[in-house]
Amino acid sequence: MNHLPAIQVIIPLLCAPLCLLLRWRTGAWLIATIATWATFGVSLVLARTVVLNGAITYAMGGWPAPWGISYHVDTLSAFLVLIVSGVGALTLAFAYKSVQREIRPESLRAFYALLLICLAGLLGIVLTGDAFNIYVFLEISSLSAYALIGMGQRRRALRAAFQYLIMGTIGATFILIGIGLLYSLTGTLNIQDLAARVEMIPASTYGNHTLITAFAFLTVGLSLKLALFPLHLWLPNAYTYAPSVVTIFLAATATKVAVYMLLRFSFCILGQRFVFEQLTLGNILLLPSLAAILVASLVAIFQYDIKRMLAYSSIAQIGYMTLGISLNSHAGLSAGILHMFNHALMKGALFMAMGAVAYRTGSVYLSDFRGLGRRMPWTMAAFVLGGMSLMGVPLTAGFISKWILLQATLEAGWWPVTAIILLGSLLAVIYIWRVVETAYFNPRHEIEHGTEEAPLSMLLPMWVLVGANVYFGIDTSIPLQMAQRAATILMSGGTL
Amino acid sequence: MNIGAHYNYWVAIFLMMTGFYVVITHGNLIKKLIGLNLFTTSVFILYISLAKVRGGTAPIIAPGIEVYSNPLPHVLILTAIVVGVATTAVGLALALLIYDRYGTLEEEEIRLKDDSL
Amino acid sequence: MELIIDITLLTFLGLTALAINRIDKLFCVIMLSGIYSLLCASLFVTMDAVDVAFTEAAVGTGIATVLLLSTIGATETEQRSAPRRPLFALLVVCATGAILVYGTMDMPAFGDPNAPIHQHVAPRYVQQSQQEVGSDNIVTSILSSYRGFDTLGETVVIFTAGLSVVGLIGFRGMQKFGDRQRAAGITRDEMEQHLVLRIVIKMFIPLILLFALYVQFHGDFGPGGGFQAGVIFASGFIFYTLMFGLDAAMRVVSPRTLSYIAALGVLLYGGVGIATMLMGGNYLDYDVLRHDPLHGQHLGIFLIELGVGTTVFSVMVLIFFAFSSRKGLRQ
């Protein structure tokens, strides 16, 4: 039982090579599915243990930190692990039929192995308590993501993957520089140890310049990874041209883990006082967040490729998360963290609906949505409900996080920001309504595809996510409490 | 600001920036990857310069030697080198396939081919 | 004396970097990047980082150059477009460089033994690793034991690169290479006509493989270990391929077999950790593998280095095969 943190990452990590060893293609899917569901199960137990008993520390190799690498699991980590592994499990269930249309059969085993490795990488980032270990697992998840995106059908997928590779590696190298500078000041790599030693550095003498530079490089590197405007250029192409399963998985998890890294480095290592008061991270994040919300939502309205529209919508939603962080208040932070959870549910459901549409019609263009409301009723209903969550309609999960965010901005007295949040929701209404109108209120498409509803194996995971959207919109106590607890831990420096 | 004390760091920074410059300005995919390599390898020089101890020697225990250079950055950079070559390999695989499907490795020409469709 | 070598190397590095920026012929640029790697490796030696120098020389100068050359062999050899937005890039680069220089102003002087990083975590490694882990090479102790989990991550990164190449390029293309060659009537590779190369390479390959095994198993006592050994072992195979042709090499060991070996290497490494968990320790705690902690450490390090070496070797050869098999398509 006390090996849980290690098992959480080891299961997907070691099942990946197993996927490659079997000659039988369905076997790879089977191993991957069992692995992801086992991982999800472990994450539930882990989260429960952490919430009830407090943070868990696990020393890899038996060597105590800071000489060895140790995993440190607190409520924030447990929350994210739930999100990532839950999405992973549902994505694998969805994947069975979806990949048949989109991935070459001989690449299937490598595909599932890469998916498992990406999952393991993301989990590793969230669970570890060692800064350099974060870098290694960041590269694990990034490298597999580049390859997964490149396996999309159109040749633009290759271009998108290459662009992401270049920008992602620059970001990762910036993060490496930041970690190196922090190390040069303190001599340690363990996050809690770093926090203690950074506090001891007197502000006036030795090391303050280095600390500011480390912070600058970490922030820029992480902003590249979490696609904060204007460093978001890789995201639209990557999400649009990747295979549907890959888009579902990455959209719901990868950027959230990058936000997690930002939170860890800012609050736990550098310290809230230093980061927000001295270096005004709040102000640095504010403008890009607002720009993301407005500009990305506006651009989304003009997209005819619906996957691309949802990608721009994701950039806007990330703006909401960073806006919550920039408020530097407990409420704002809780809102940002809760939105990570809700966005995963929303976008997961929406992109799954897109995957189903692509599976049946072979296209994701707006014009091909005509009449889909009749021919694929369940899929479009899922899209509508997911869209409502995106807009922030009451009784959906999206409403809760927007509501808490609004409360936080009103509390801080930032009226223009409140107006912008509401404007963002309005813009979301416009771009979702375009799709709904085409699907339900247009006459039948000239060429009758004879399209039928998506297969059950795709509908079930989709509706689990939609159901979760509605459930957590009505009774949001569990995620909200976890988010609030996580915010408390962060604001106290991560020592709880 | 002792020049001798920080010469290593500054040259490393200069090399990093040259690599970064190559990545941003050049349109050829392979040149971009080489620039990326340049950038990351120069970061390694910075790290290893931190580890050196004056009068020390390689961190392999031998009788009679008292002072060793710091082994921890060496370990980190070993890992980073391997990560770097893995990234280069994946990047080159993508570049190969891009060449197959587009017929060119120049970013501008690739963009034109996509936009003209 | 050391300072002069240091300054000379750094100056040459700067010149090489500038040259890489200016030159258009990709073949020259790749050669220059190989030279850059080698100069870096020499610099690392002067800074006492022997393991790092070894890895940089093997991986950066060796493998990276080989892969780059295979790629331009299958694509184009000259860069055609001019640099775009040079002023904007110069601005960004100067700003970033300035921030970095600002940041390093407070950093300890080069070689200062009183720097913070030499006071905290490192002293235990230097003073106690020989008693706790049993290896003379402190870097190997840290890499394999203290921070062994990072090394597992590193092995997975290499495995991921191999997987990516398999997923993107695929086995079928590689195996069709032999058919294409035979169809085109090419029965002997053109290199076979170079008598000197043939004889010398035939003599060298067994020595290279033997040296790789030496590096693998002596990582405890000198610079070396799984990574370097895997790369050197792979270079033996690459030599064979260059001399006798891809078709012959793929008959010695097929790409599919290589992918299995790579998977088994990762499983070996991870499996050692699972074994330690089953025997009562934490993940990758080698102390519990045997009755005596020191023996356990030795066994654990031996096994994981083996896992690392096999994965690195198989992935490097696999990627090389994948890239070389594309050459036939363009001719």
Side-chain angles (χ1 to χ4, degrees), chain B residues 1-74:
Chain B
M1 236 185 9
N2 191 350
I3 295 189
H6 291 128
Y7 181 64
N8 262 45
Y9 304 148
W10 294 348
V11 177
I13 295 174
F14 171 73
L15 294 169
M16 275 191 246
M17 292 304 113
T18 315
F20 195 23
Y21 181 79
V22 171
V23 177
I24 304 180
T25 53
H26 289 271
N28 183 298
L29 299 184
I30 298 203
K31 200 81 178 286
K32 273 179 141 59
L33 284 171
I34 295 182
L36 207 58
N37 241 331
L38 212 60
F39 183 38
T40 47
T41 313
S42 315
V43 175
F44 303 158
I45 298 180
L46 187 65
Y47 260 84
I48 300 288
S49 307
L50 288 173
K52 164 93 181 141
V53 174
R54 204 165 30 237
T57 175
I60 300 177
I61 300 187
I65 301 187
E66 292 298 322
V67 186
Y68 297 99
S69 283
N70 195 325
L72 187 52
H74 297 182

Coordinates of all heavy atoms in Angstrom, one line a residue, chain B residues 1-74:
Chain B
M1 N 33.3 42.3 -10.9 CA 33.0 41.5 -12.0 C 34.2 41.0 -12.7 O 34.7 41.5 -13.6 CB 32.2 42.3 -13.1 CG 30.9 41.6 -13.4 SD 29.8 42.3 -14.6 CE 30.6 43.5 -15.5
N2 N 34.8 40.0 -12.1 CA 36.0 39.4 -12.5 C 35.9 38.7 -13.8 O 35.1 37.7 -13.9 CB 36.5 38.5 -11.4 CG 37.9 38.0 -11.7 OD1 38.5 38.3 -12.7 ND2 38.5 37.4 -10.7
I3 N 36.6 39.1 -14.9 CA 36.3 38.5 -16.2 C 36.8 37.1 -16.2 O 36.1 36.2 -16.7 CB 37.0 39.3 -17.3 CG1 36.4 40.7 -17.4 CG2 36.9 38.6 -18.6 CD1 36.9 41.5 -18.6
G4 N 37.9 36.8 -15.6 CA 38.5 35.5 -15.6 C 37.5 34.5 -14.9 O 37.4 33.4 -15.3
A5 N 36.8 35.0 -13.9 CA 36.0 34.1 -13.1 C 34.7 33.7 -13.9 O 34.2 32.6 -13.7 CB 35.5 34.8 -11.8
H6 N 34.3 34.6 -14.8 CA 33.0 34.3 -15.4 C 33.1 34.0 -16.9 O 32.1 33.9 -17.6 CB 32.0 35.4 -15.2 CG 31.5 35.5 -13.8 ND1 31.6 36.6 -13.0 CD2 31.1 34.5 -13.0 CE1 31.1 36.4 -11.8 NE2 30.8 35.1 -11.7
Y7 N 34.3 34.0 -17.4 CA 34.6 33.8 -18.9 C 33.8 32.6 -19.4 O 33.1 32.7 -20.5 CB 36.1 33.7 -19.2 CG 36.4 33.6 -20.6 CD1 36.1 34.6 -21.5 CD2 37.0 32.4 -21.1 CE1 36.4 34.5 -22.9 CE2 37.3 32.3 -22.4 CZ 37.0 33.3 -23.3 OH 37.3 33.2 -24.6
N8 N 34.0 31.5 -18.7 CA 33.3 30.3 -19.2 C 31.8 30.5 -19.4 O 31.2 30.1 -20.4 CB 33.5 29.2 -18.2 CG 34.6 28.2 -18.5 OD1 35.7 28.7 -18.9 ND2 34.4 27.0 -18.5
Y9 N 31.2 31.1 -18.4 CA 29.7 31.3 -18.4 C 29.3 32.1 -19.6 O 28.4 31.8 -20.3 CB 29.2 31.9 -17.1 CG 29.6 31.2 -15.8 CD1 29.8 31.9 -14.7 CD2 29.7 29.8 -15.8 CE1 30.1 31.3 -13.5 CE2 30.1 29.2 -14.6 CZ 30.3 30.0 -13.5 OH 30.6 29.4 -12.3
W10 N 30.1 33.2 -19.8 CA 29.7 34.1 -20.9 C 29.8 33.5 -22.3 O 29.0 33.7 -23.1 CB 30.5 35.4 -20.8 CG 30.2 36.2 -19.5 CD1 29.1 36.0 -18.7 CD2 30.9 37.3 -19.0 NE1 29.2 36.8 -17.7 CE2 30.2 37.7 -17.8 CE3 32.0 38.0 -19.4 CZ2 30.7 38.7 -17.0 CZ3 32.5 39.0 -18.6 CH2 31.8 39.4 -17.4
V11 N 30.9 32.8 -22.4 CA 31.1 32.1 -23.7 C 29.9 31.1 -23.9 O 29.4 31.0 -25.0 CB 32.4 31.4 -23.9 CG1 32.5 30.7 -25.2 CG2 33.5 32.4 -23.8
A12 N 29.6 30.4 -22.9 CA 28.5 29.4 -23.0 C 27.2 30.2 -23.4 O 26.4 29.7 -24.2 CB 28.3 28.7 -21.6
I13 N 27.0 31.3 -22.8 CA 25.8 32.1 -23.1 C 25.8 32.5 -24.6 O 24.8 32.5 -25.3 CB 25.6 33.3 -22.2 CG1 25.4 32.8 -20.7 CG2 24.5 34.2 -22.6 CD1 25.4 33.9 -19.7
F14 N 27.0 33.0 -25.0 CA 27.1 33.4 -26.4 C 26.8 32.2 -27.3 O 26.1 32.4 -28.3 CB 28.6 33.9 -26.7 CG 28.9 34.1 -28.1 CD1 28.3 35.2 -28.8 CD2 29.7 33.3 -28.8 CE1 28.6 35.5 -30.1 CE2 29.9 33.5 -30.2 CZ 29.4 34.6 -30.8
L15 N 27.3 31.0 -27.0 CA 27.1 29.9 -27.9 C 25.6 29.5 -27.8 O 25.0 29.2 -28.9 CB 27.9 28.7 -27.3 CG 29.4 28.8 -27.5 CD1 30.1 27.7 -26.7 CD2 29.8 28.8 -28.9
M16 N 24.9 29.6 -26.6 CA 23.5 29.3 -26.6 C 22.7 30.3 -27.5 O 21.8 29.9 -28.2 CB 23.0 29.6 -25.1 CG 23.2 28.5 -24.2 SD 22.2 28.9 -22.7 CE 23.6 29.0 -21.6
M17 N 23.1 31.5 -27.4 CA 22.4 32.5 -28.2 C 22.6 32.3 -29.7 O 21.7 32.5 -30.5 CB 22.7 33.9 -27.8 CG 22.2 34.2 -26.4 SD 20.4 34.0 -26.2 CE 20.4 32.6 -25.1
T18 N 23.8 31.9 -30.1 CA 24.0 31.6 -31.5 C 23.1 30.5 -31.9 O 22.5 30.5 -33.0 CB 25.5 31.2 -31.7 OG1 26.3 32.1 -31.0 CG2 25.8 31.2 -33.2
G19 N 23.0 29.4 -31.1 CA 22.2 28.3 -31.5 C 20.7 28.7 -31.6 O 20.0 28.4 -32.5
F20 N 20.3 29.5 -30.6 CA 18.9 30.0 -30.6 C 18.6 30.8 -31.8 O 17.6 30.7 -32.5 CB 18.8 30.9 -29.3 CG 17.3 31.2 -28.9 CD1 16.3 30.4 -29.4 CD2 17.1 32.3 -28.1 CE1 15.0 30.7 -29.0 CE2 15.8 32.6 -27.8 CZ 14.7 31.8 -28.2
Y21 N 19.6 31.7 -32.2 CA 19.5 32.5 -33.4 C 19.3 31.6 -34.7 O 18.4 31.9 -35.5 CB 20.7 33.4 -33.6 CG 20.7 34.3 -34.8 CD1 20.0 35.5 -34.7 CD2 21.4 34.0 -35.9 CE1 20.0 36.3 -35.8 CE2 21.4 34.8 -37.0 CZ 20.7 36.0 -37.0 OH 20.6 36.8 -38.0
V22 N 20.1 30.5 -34.7 CA 20.0 29.7 -35.9 C 18.6 29.0 -36.0 O 18.0 28.9 -37.1 CB 21.1 28.5 -35.8 CG1 20.8 27.5 -36.9 CG2 22.5 29.1 -36.0
V23 N 18.1 28.7 -34.8 CA 16.7 28.0 -34.8 C 15.7 29.0 -35.3 O 14.8 28.7 -36.1 CB 16.3 27.5 -33.4 CG1 14.9 27.0 -33.4 CG2 17.3 26.5 -32.9
I24 N 15.8 30.3 -34.9 CA 14.7 31.2 -35.2 C 14.8 31.6 -36.7 O 13.8 31.7 -37.4 CB 14.8 32.5 -34.3 CG1 14.7 32.1 -32.9 CG2 13.6 33.4 -34.7 CD1 14.8 33.3 -32.0
T25 N 16.0 31.9 -37.2 CA 16.1 32.6 -38.5 C 16.1 31.6 -39.6 O 15.5 32.0 -40.7 CB 17.3 33.4 -38.6 OG1 18.4 32.6 -38.3 CG2 17.3 34.6 -37.7
H26 N 16.6 30.5 -39.5 CA 16.8 29.6 -40.7 C 15.5 28.8 -41.0 O 14.8 28.4 -40.1 CB 18.0 28.7 -40.5 CG 19.3 29.4 -40.6 ND1 19.9 29.6 -41.8 CD2 20.0 30.0 -39.7 CE1 21.0 30.3 -41.6 NE2 21.1 30.6 -40.3
G27 N 15.2 28.7 -42.2 CA 14.0 28.0 -42.6 C 14.2 26.5 -42.9 O 13.2 25.8 -43.0
N28 N 15.4 26.1 -43.1 CA 15.7 24.7 -43.5 C 15.5 23.9 -42.2 O 16.1 24.2 -41.2 CB 17.1 24.6 -44.0 CG 17.4 23.2 -44.5 OD1 17.4 22.3 -43.7 ND2 17.6 23.0 -45.7
L29 N 14.7 22.8 -42.3 CA 14.4 22.0 -41.1 C 15.6 21.4 -40.5 O 15.7 21.3 -39.2 CB 13.4 20.9 -41.5 CG 12.0 21.4 -42.0 CD1 11.1 20.2 -42.2 CD2 11.4 22.4 -41.0
I30 N 16.5 21.0 -41.3 CA 17.7 20.3 -40.7 C 18.6 21.3 -40.0 O 19.2 21.1 -38.9 CB 18.5 19.6 -41.8 CG1 17.6 18.5 -42.4 CG2 19.8 19.0 -41.3 CD1 18.3 17.4 -43.1
K31 N 18.7 22.5 -40.6 CA 19.5 23.6 -40.0 C 18.9 23.9 -38.6 O 19.6 24.2 -37.6 CB 19.5 24.8 -40.9 CG 20.6 25.8 -40.7 CD 21.9 25.4 -41.4 CE 23.0 26.4 -41.2 NZ 22.8 27.6 -42.0
K32 N 17.6 23.9 -38.6 CA 16.9 24.2 -37.3 C 17.2 23.2 -36.3 O 17.5 23.6 -35.1 CB 15.4 24.2 -37.5 CG 14.7 25.5 -38.0 CD 13.2 25.3 -38.1 CE 12.4 26.4 -37.7 NZ 12.7 27.7 -38.3
L33 N 17.2 21.9 -36.7 CA 17.6 20.9 -35.7 C 19.0 21.0 -35.2 O 19.3 20.8 -34.0 CB 17.3 19.5 -36.3 CG 15.9 19.1 -36.4 CD1 15.7 17.8 -37.2 CD2 15.3 18.9 -35.0
I34 N 19.9 21.4 -36.1 CA 21.3 21.5 -35.7 C 21.4 22.7 -34.8 O 22.2 22.7 -33.8 CB 22.2 21.7 -37.0 CG1 22.2 20.4 -37.8 CG2 23.6 22.1 -36.6 CD1 23.1 20.5 -39.0
G35 N 20.7 23.8 -35.1 CA 20.7 24.9 -34.2 C 20.2 24.6 -32.8 O 20.7 25.0 -31.8
L36 N 19.2 23.8 -32.8 CA 18.6 23.3 -31.5 C 19.7 22.5 -30.7 O 19.8 22.7 -29.5 CB 17.4 22.4 -31.8 CG 16.3 22.4 -30.7 CD1 15.8 23.7 -30.4 CD2 15.2 21.4 -31.2
N37 N 20.4 21.7 -31.4 CA 21.5 20.9 -30.8 C 22.5 21.8 -30.2 O 23.0 21.6 -29.1 CB 22.1 20.0 -31.9 CG 22.0 18.6 -31.5 OD1 21.9 18.2 -30.4 ND2 21.9 17.8 -32.6
L38 N 22.9 22.8 -31.0 CA 23.9 23.8 -30.6 C 23.4 24.5 -29.3 O 24.2 24.6 -28.3 CB 24.0 24.9 -31.7 CG 25.3 25.6 -31.9 CD1 26.3 24.6 -32.3 CD2 25.1 26.6 -33.0
F39 N 22.1 24.9 -29.2 CA 21.6 25.5 -28.1 C 21.7 24.7 -26.9 O 22.2 25.1 -25.8 CB 20.1 25.9 -28.4 CG 19.3 26.6 -27.4 CD1 19.9 27.6 -26.6 CD2 18.0 26.4 -27.1 CE1 19.2 28.3 -25.7 CE2 17.3 27.1 -26.2 CZ 17.9 28.0 -25.4
T40 N 21.2 23.4 -27.0 CA 21.2 22.6 -25.8 C 22.6 22.2 -25.3 O 22.9 22.1 -24.1 CB 20.3 21.3 -26.0 OG1 20.7 20.7 -27.3 CG2 18.9 21.6 -26.0
T41 N 23.5 21.9 -26.3 CA 24.9 21.5 -25.9 C 25.5 22.7 -25.1 O 26.3 22.4 -24.2 CB 25.7 21.1 -27.1 OG1 24.9 20.3 -27.9 CG2 27.0 20.4 -26.7
S42 N 25.2 23.9 -25.5 CA 25.9 25.0 -24.8 C 25.3 25.2 -23.4 O 26.1 25.6 -22.5 CB 25.6 26.3 -25.6 OG 25.8 26.1 -26.9
V43 N 24.1 24.8 -23.2 CA 23.5 24.8 -21.8 C 24.4 23.8 -21.0 O 24.7 24.1 -19.8 CB 22.1 24.4 -21.8 CG1 21.5 24.3 -20.4 CG2 21.2 25.4 -22.6
F44 N 24.8 22.7 -21.6 CA 25.6 21.7 -20.9 C 26.9 22.3 -20.4 O 27.4 22.0 -19.3 CB 25.9 20.5 -21.7 CG 24.6 19.8 -22.3 CD1 24.7 19.0 -23.4 CD2 23.4 20.0 -21.7 CE1 23.5 18.4 -23.9 CE2 22.2 19.4 -22.1 CZ 22.3 18.6 -23.3
I45 N 27.5 23.1 -21.3 CA 28.8 23.7 -20.9 C 28.6 24.6 -19.7 O 29.4 24.6 -18.8 CB 29.3 24.6 -22.1 CG1 29.6 23.7 -23.3 CG2 30.6 25.3 -21.7 CD1 30.1 24.5 -24.5
L46 N 27.5 25.3 -19.6 CA 27.2 26.2 -18.5 C 27.1 25.3 -17.2 O 27.8 25.6 -16.2 CB 25.9 26.9 -18.7 CG 25.5 28.0 -17.7 CD1 26.5 29.1 -17.7 CD2 24.1 28.5 -18.0
Y47 N 26.4 24.2 -17.2 CA 26.2 23.4 -16.1 C 27.6 22.8 -15.6 O 27.9 22.8 -14.4 CB 25.3 22.2 -16.4 CG 23.9 22.3 -16.0 CD1 22.9 23.0 -16.8 CD2 23.5 21.6 -14.9 CE1 21.6 23.0 -16.4 CE2 22.1 21.7 -14.5 CZ 21.2 22.3 -15.2 OH 19.9 22.4 -14.9
I48 N 28.3 22.3 -16.6 CA 29.6 21.6 -16.2 C 30.6 22.6 -15.7 O 31.4 22.3 -14.8 CB 30.2 20.8 -17.5 CG1 29.2 19.8 -17.9 CG2 31.5 20.2 -17.1 CD1 29.0 18.6 -17.0
S49 N 30.5 23.9 -16.2 CA 31.4 24.9 -15.7 C 31.1 25.1 -14.2 O 32.0 25.4 -13.4 CB 31.2 26.2 -16.4 OG 31.4 26.0 -17.8
L50 N 29.9 25.0 -13.8 CA 29.5 25.1 -12.4 C 30.2 24.1 -11.5 O 30.5 24.3 -10.4 CB 28.0 25.0 -12.2 CG 27.1 26.1 -12.7 CD1 25.7 25.7 -12.6 CD2 27.4 27.3 -11.9
A51 N 30.4 22.9 -12.1 CA 30.8 21.7 -11.3 C 32.3 21.7 -11.0 O 32.7 21.1 -10.1 CB 30.4 20.4 -12.0
K52 N 33.0 22.4 -11.8 CA 34.5 22.3 -11.7 C 35.0 22.9 -10.4 O 34.5 24.0 -10.0 CB 35.1 23.1 -12.9 CG 36.6 23.4 -12.7 CD 37.4 22.3 -13.3 CE 38.9 22.6 -13.1 NZ 39.7 21.5 -12.8
V53 N 35.9 22.2 -9.7 CA 36.5 22.7 -8.5 C 38.0 22.9 -8.8 O 38.6 21.9 -9.3 CB 36.3 21.7 -7.4 CG1 37.1 22.2 -6.1 CG2 34.9 21.6 -7.0
R54 N 38.5 24.0 -8.5 CA 39.9 24.3 -8.8 C 40.8 23.4 -8.0 O 40.6 23.2 -6.8 CB 40.2 25.8 -8.4 CG 41.4 26.4 -9.1 CD 41.5 27.9 -9.0 NE 40.9 28.4 -7.8 CZ 40.0 29.3 -7.7 NH1 39.4 29.8 -8.8 NH2 39.5 29.7 -6.6
G55 N 41.7 22.7 -8.7 CA 42.6 21.8 -8.0 C 41.9 20.4 -7.8 O 42.6 19.5 -7.3
G56 N 40.7 20.2 -8.3 CA 40.1 18.9 -8.2 C 40.4 18.1 -9.4 O 41.0 18.5 -10.4
T57 N 39.8 16.9 -9.4 CA 40.0 16.0 -10.6 C 38.7 15.3 -10.8 O 37.7 15.5 -10.2 CB 41.2 15.1 -10.3 OG1 41.2 14.2 -11.4 CG2 40.9 14.3 -9.1
A58 N 38.7 14.4 -11.8 CA 37.5 13.7 -12.2 C 37.0 12.9 -11.0 O 37.7 12.3 -10.2 CB 37.8 12.8 -13.3
P59 N 35.7 12.9 -10.9 CA 35.1 12.2 -9.7 C 35.1 10.7 -9.7 O 34.1 10.0 -9.6 CB 33.7 12.7 -9.6 CG 33.3 13.1 -11.0 CD 34.6 13.5 -11.6
I60 N 36.3 10.2 -9.9 CA 36.5 8.7 -9.8 C 37.5 8.5 -8.6 O 38.6 9.0 -8.7 CB 37.1 8.1 -11.1 CG1 36.1 8.4 -12.2 CG2 37.3 6.6 -10.9 CD1 36.6 8.0 -13.5
I61 N 37.1 7.8 -7.6 CA 37.9 7.7 -6.4 C 39.2 7.0 -6.7 O 39.2 5.8 -7.2 CB 37.1 7.0 -5.3 CG1 35.9 7.9 -5.0 CG2 38.0 6.9 -4.0 CD1 35.1 7.4 -3.8
A62 N 40.3 7.6 -6.4 CA 41.6 7.0 -6.5 C 42.4 7.3 -5.3 O 42.2 8.3 -4.7 CB 42.3 7.6 -7.8
P63 N 43.3 6.4 -4.9 CA 44.1 6.6 -3.7 C 44.9 7.9 -3.8 O 45.5 8.1 -4.8 CB 44.9 5.4 -3.6 CG 44.9 4.7 -4.9 CD 43.7 5.1 -5.6
G64 N 45.0 8.7 -2.7 CA 45.8 9.8 -2.7 C 45.2 11.1 -3.2 O 45.8 12.2 -3.0
I65 N 44.0 11.0 -3.7 CA 43.4 12.3 -4.2 C 42.3 12.7 -3.2 O 41.5 11.9 -2.8 CB 42.8 12.1 -5.6 CG1 43.9 11.6 -6.6 CG2 42.1 13.3 -6.1 CD1 43.4 11.5 -8.0
E66 N 42.4 14.0 -2.9 CA 41.5 14.5 -1.9 C 40.3 15.3 -2.5 O 39.2 15.2 -2.0 CB 42.3 15.4 -0.9 CG 43.2 14.6 0.0 CD 42.5 13.6 0.9 OE1 41.4 13.9 1.4 OE2 43.0 12.5 1.0
V67 N 40.7 16.1 -3.5 CA 39.6 17.0 -4.0 C 39.1 16.5 -5.3 O 39.8 16.2 -6.2 CB 40.2 18.4 -4.2 CG1 39.2 19.4 -4.6 CG2 41.0 18.9 -2.9
Y68 N 37.8 16.4 -5.4 CA 37.1 16.0 -6.6 C 36.2 17.1 -7.1 O 35.6 17.8 -6.3 CB 36.3 14.7 -6.4 CG 37.2 13.5 -6.0 CD1 37.2 13.2 -4.6 CD2 37.9 12.8 -6.9 CE1 38.0 12.1 -4.2 CE2 38.6 11.7 -6.5 CZ 38.7 11.4 -5.2 OH 39.5 10.3 -4.8
S69 N 36.0 17.1 -8.4 CA 35.0 18.0 -8.9 C 33.6 17.4 -8.6 O 33.4 16.2 -8.4 CB 35.1 18.2 -10.4 OG 36.2 19.0 -10.7
N70 N 32.6 18.3 -8.6 CA 31.3 18.0 -8.2 C 30.6 17.0 -9.2 O 30.5 17.3 -10.3 CB 30.4 19.2 -8.1 CG 29.1 19.0 -7.3 OD1 28.5 17.9 -7.4 ND2 28.7 20.0 -6.6
P71 N 30.2 15.8 -8.7 CA 29.7 14.8 -9.7 C 28.2 15.0 -10.0 O 27.8 14.4 -11.0 CB 29.9 13.5 -8.9 CG 29.8 13.8 -7.5 CD 30.4 15.2 -7.4
L72 N 27.5 15.7 -9.2 CA 26.0 15.8 -9.5 C 25.7 16.4 -10.8 O 24.9 15.9 -11.6 CB 25.3 16.5 -8.3 CG 23.8 16.5 -8.4 CD1 23.2 15.1 -8.6 CD2 23.2 17.1 -7.1
P73 N 26.3 17.6 -11.2 CA 25.9 18.1 -12.5 C 26.3 17.2 -13.6 O 25.6 17.2 -14.7 CB 26.7 19.4 -12.6 CG 27.0 19.8 -11.2 CD 27.1 18.5 -10.4
H74 N 27.4 16.4 -13.4 CA 27.8 15.5 -14.5 C 26.6 14.5 -14.8 O 26.3 14.2 -15.9 CB 29.0 14.7 -14.1 CG 30.2 15.5 -13.8 ND1 31.4 15.0 -13.5 CD2 30.4 16.9 -13.9 CE1 32.3 16.0 -13.4 NE2 31.7 17.1 -13.6

